[in-house]
Amino acid sequence: MLAHRLIPCLDVANGVVVKGVRFRDHRVVGDIVELARRYADEGADELVFYDITASPEGRSVDVAWVARVACELDIPFCVAGGIRSVVEAEAILAAGADKISINSPALARPELVGELAARFGSQCVVIGMDVDGLADDKPDLWRVMINAGKPDISSDSRRGLLDWVREVTARGAGEIVLNSIRADGVRGGYARDQLAAVRAATTLPLVASGGAGQPVHFADVFEHCGVDAALAASVFHSGEIRIGDLKRYLASRGILVRI
């Protein structure tokens, strides 16, 4: 059995790391490279960087900061933000990223998933899904959103969550990150029902995102939802939860992690 992964998430806007609640009211929390180095030193298993305004602004990630991060890290990291083509993905991977993640561009042109998998291998292709669940216990109402990073222009993709999960699986994706918009930044726990349903719909590695507020929230999704990794931002940025302490807590519950 593979060890469960803990992944700090760094939302990037205008060249710095920011954090908001439900993608609104963002505040600056630090420098990209400094935070990346800190999390690597604390024992993070990998990092993910989201340029949250790239897709809404019709651009791709600035590879300059990707290269700076790559020079500082000795752990894997994933980059997301407006990646619409094999050429754009290649530039980010060439700058040092280990994976690329696509979200809105894949919804706009699903063929992109297969193109990236064919060029770089499925292990490099992560699919991000921002989900607005109108009712936690009604899967038919779980909708995947486009451009969730800018709520003023965000819209319903008209794709149901589980249908989209099955489609990207068939197209060659290597991993899914499921982010519950209504849980994001609220710290009330991950969206368990959605995660469990996605786990039942695919064998791909699954990453929980959105809602972590206490160590027990991480244990909960590892023990009950079958996720492979848990992603968090605000509780790590603030120092309220230290990665080393969290790993020791999880290990005490019998959850396999890298210490």
Side-chain angles (χ1 to χ4, degrees):
M1 180 179 179
L2 295 176
H4 295 89
R5 292 171 285 145
L6 295 177
I7 307 174
C9 170
L10 293 85
D11 290 339
V12 176
N14 300 316
V16 294
V17 179
V18 300
K19 188 67 187 88
V21 176
R22 295 173 177 167
F23 296 104
R24 297 180 183 273
D25 302 321
H26 290 96
R27 58 185 178 81
V28 176
V29 295
D31 175 76
I32 298 172
V33 175
E34 289 179 2
L35 276 175
R37 188 187 303 117
R38 171 187 141 191
Y39 290 134
D41 291 343
E42 287 183 6
D45 296 297
E46 60 185 82
L47 299 179
V48 61
F49 298 85
Y50 290 120
D51 187 327
I52 59 173
T53 59
S55 282
E57 292 175 359
R59 59 175 176 81
S60 187
V61 173
D62 178 0
V63 297
W65 65 255
V66 177
R68 292 198 304 272
V69 167
C71 288
E72 297 289 336
L73 290 187
D74 57 2
I75 60 173
F77 71 98
C78 177
V79 173
I83 301 168
R84 295 175 173 81
S85 69
V86 168
V87 171
E88 290 174 341
E90 189 164 33
I92 292 167
L93 293 169
D98 299 274
K99 304 176 185 177
I100 49 92
S101 179
I102 55 174
N103 188 330
S104 296
L107 290 162
R109 193 171 70 85
E111 296 81 5
L112 178 60
V113 179
E115 293 169 4
L116 294 171
R119 175 65 179 84
F120 306 112
S122 293
Q123 77 283 351
C124 288
V125 183
V126 180
I127 306 299
M129 299 184 184
D130 294 315
V131 180
D132 190 9
L134 300 180
D136 286 344
D137 60 349
K138 294 183 178 180
D140 289 346
L141 299 180
W142 296 340
R143 312 300 293 179
V144 183
M145 305 300 290
I146 293 178
N147 294 326
K150 274 202 167 182
D152 54 326
I153 64 168
S154 179
S155 62
D156 185 345
S157 70
R158 302 189 181 278
R159 290 179 180 271
L161 170 60
L162 300 183
D163 287 341
W164 184 229
V165 166
R166 296 184 186 100
E167 181 171 345
V168 300
T169 300
R171 288 183 179 275
E175 184 170 81
I176 290 172
V177 176
L178 180 66
N179 183 59
S180 171
I181 293 173
R182 298 195 177 205
D184 182 76
V186 179
R187 303 191 187 188
Y190 294 101
R192 282 183 52 175
D193 290 342
Q194 292 176 0
L195 288 162
V198 171
R199 176 72 293 156
T202 183
T203 59
L204 292 182
L206 175 61
V207 182
S209 174
Q214 304 172 36
V216 70
H217 293 153
F218 294 85
D220 191 37
V221 289
F222 288 139
E223 292 173 340
H224 301 294
C225 301
V227 304
D228 300 274
L231 181 153
S234 57
V235 293
F236 291 150
H237 295 334
S238 67
E240 293 172 57
I241 297 179
R242 297 286 183 181
I243 294 170
D245 294 338
L246 177 56
K247 286 191 171 185
R248 285 185 286 273
Y249 165 76
L250 294 172
S252 75
R253 293 181 61 133
I255 297 169
L256 182 60
V257 292
R258 298 182 185 90
I259 301 293

